[in-house]
């Protein structure tokens, strides 16, 4: 166990010295070697046991998980789960986590709305710039966690949500439980929309209350994308929904 931990730490140090394309190259090199793969994945063993039941385990051959949800109107929501902890230890900090640009590089495809899920937000990544270039140009909905400080913004017509936490630690600087509900629906024959409901714990009621859109005052935020033509007869269905 000690030798395995030492090897893992040495591999982490080697990757964290790199930048840009060199990070992807080194990940490919390590994941093509059985001993290096075993050392990198060892800290994720218990996670993979848990994740296997949900179809979202990771491995050298499948470094991210991907799943398609086909809506009845013909649109596909392609979800990709990205792993930001292949390089993770007691020295974790902003700018030290590794994602792998290639793993974030989804392929554009007609009728496909891309959605990624990743624990660490971009500013925590050593390969932040190239990863963000891919996300901002291709991924319609980007979901992140870790910070426990809820934020939502639109970048290049793409929606980025950094989630809060339903059960944050009481000792956190701003202890406020939050959660989000995402509804993806057909708006018309050419458009798919996202309706984002954000809820924040409010005292002294106590209860979860809506965070209102500062621009519209609505109890939700709306975003719409064009280029998603309906692939079934209009009279067959008026609305397709994934939530």
């Amino acid at each position: 166990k000690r030798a395995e931990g030492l090897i893992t730490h040495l591999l982490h140090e080697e990757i964290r010295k790199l930048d840009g394309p060199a990070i992807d190259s080194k990940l490919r090199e390590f994941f093509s070697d059985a001993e290096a793969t075993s050392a990198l994945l060892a800290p994720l063993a218990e996670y993979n046991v848990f994740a296997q039941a949900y179809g979202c385990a990771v491995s050298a051959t499948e470094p991210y998980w991907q799943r398609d949800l086909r809506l009845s109107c013909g649109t596909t929501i392609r979800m990709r789960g990205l792993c930001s902890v292949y390089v993770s230890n007691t020295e974790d900090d902003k700018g030290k986590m590794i994602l792998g640009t290639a793993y974030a590089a989804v392929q554009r495809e007609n009728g496909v709305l891309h959605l990624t899920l990743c624990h660490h937000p971009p500013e925590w990544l050593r390969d932040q710039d190239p990863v963000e270039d891919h996300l901002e140009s291709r991924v319609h909905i980007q979901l992140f966690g870790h910070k426990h400080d809820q934020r939502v913004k639109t970048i290049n017509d793409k929606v980025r949500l950094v989630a809060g936490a339903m059960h944050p630690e009481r000792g956190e600087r701003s202890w406020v439980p939050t959660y989000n509900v995402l509804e993806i629906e057909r708006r018309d024959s050419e458009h798919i929309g996202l309706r984002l409901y954000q809820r924040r714990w409010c005292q002294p009621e106590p209860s979860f209350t809506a965070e209102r859109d500062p621009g519209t005052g609505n109890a939700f935020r709306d975003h719409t994308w064009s280029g998603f033509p309906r692939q079934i007869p209009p009279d067959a269905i008026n609305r397709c929904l994934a939530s």
Side-chain angles (χ1 to χ4, degrees), residues 3-236:
E4 182 180 74
L6 177 60
I7 293 172
T8 300
H9 187 76
L10 291 174
L11 295 180
H12 288 176
E13 285 189 329
E14 186 169 350
I15 296 176
R16 280 179 168 166
K17 293 176 182 177
L18 304 175
D19 290 297
I23 290 176
D24 279 3
S25 179
K26 186 59 67 175
L27 285 174
R28 286 194 298 270
E29 177 187 337
F30 285 166
F31 279 140
S32 64
D33 178 85
E35 292 184 1
T37 295
S38 177
L40 281 179
L41 294 180
L44 300 178
E46 293 186 11
Y47 162 79
N48 271 332
V49 171
F50 167 82
Q52 190 68 47
Y54 299 93
C56 54
V58 293
S59 66
T61 56
E62 296 182 333
Y64 56 83
W65 62 264
Q66 186 161 286
R67 190 174 307 151
D68 283 359
L69 296 178
R70 179 81 171 180
L71 304 185
S72 53
C73 61
T75 294
T76 295
I77 301 174
R78 182 158 295 158
M79 301 187 299
R80 178 176 292 194
L82 302 173
C83 180
S84 58
V85 291
Y86 285 125
V87 179
S88 179
N89 52 39
T90 57
E91 299 172 7
D92 288 356
D93 205 346
K94 280 188 177 181
K96 286 192 173 183
M97 312 309 295
I98 302 293
L99 181 60
T101 306
Y103 305 153
V106 304
Q107 299 300 311
R108 294 188 182 94
E109 188 176 333
N110 291 337
V112 175
L113 184 143
H114 290 284
L115 183 156
T116 55
L117 306 93
C118 183
H119 180 75
H120 290 90
E123 63 266 28
W124 278 72
L125 304 176
R126 183 162 181 80
D127 45 355
Q128 173 182 355
D129 288 345
V131 166
E132 282 198 300
D133 286 345
H134 283 287
L135 296 178
E136 292 174 6
S137 64
R138 303 182 184 186
V139 179
H140 303 85
I141 304 171
Q142 307 157 28
L143 306 181
F144 298 96
H146 188 69
K147 295 174 64 174
H148 296 182
D149 188 8
Q150 188 155 279
R151 293 286 187 274
V152 60
K153 62 173 65 174
T154 302
I155 307 170
N156 294 341
D157 201 33
K158 310 299 189 295
V159 175
R160 176 175 297 172
L161 172 63
V162 180
M166 189 69 174
H167 297 288
E169 295 290 337
R170 279 285 186 174
E172 291 187 14
R173 180 174 53 86
S174 54
W175 181 87
V176 182
T178 58
Y179 71 91
N180 304 276
V181 176
L182 281 71
E183 184 181 86
I184 300 171
E185 63 180 359
R186 175 155 295 282
R187 296 290 166 82
D188 56 35
S189 60
E190 290 290 329
H191 296 82
I192 287 290
L194 167 68
R195 181 159 287 183
L196 172 62
Y197 299 88
Q198 298 184 287
R199 297 293 182 264
R200 181 181 295 268
W201 186 252
C202 183
Q203 294 177 325
E205 283 77 5
S207 64
F208 282 96
T209 59
E211 287 195 30
R212 297 189 174 275
D213 186 326
T216 65
N218 292 332
F220 53 81
R221 294 173 184 257
D222 258 331
H223 195 88
T224 303
W225 294 278
S226 60
F228 290 91
R230 190 193 302 271
Q231 299 178 35
I232 59 174
D235 57 352

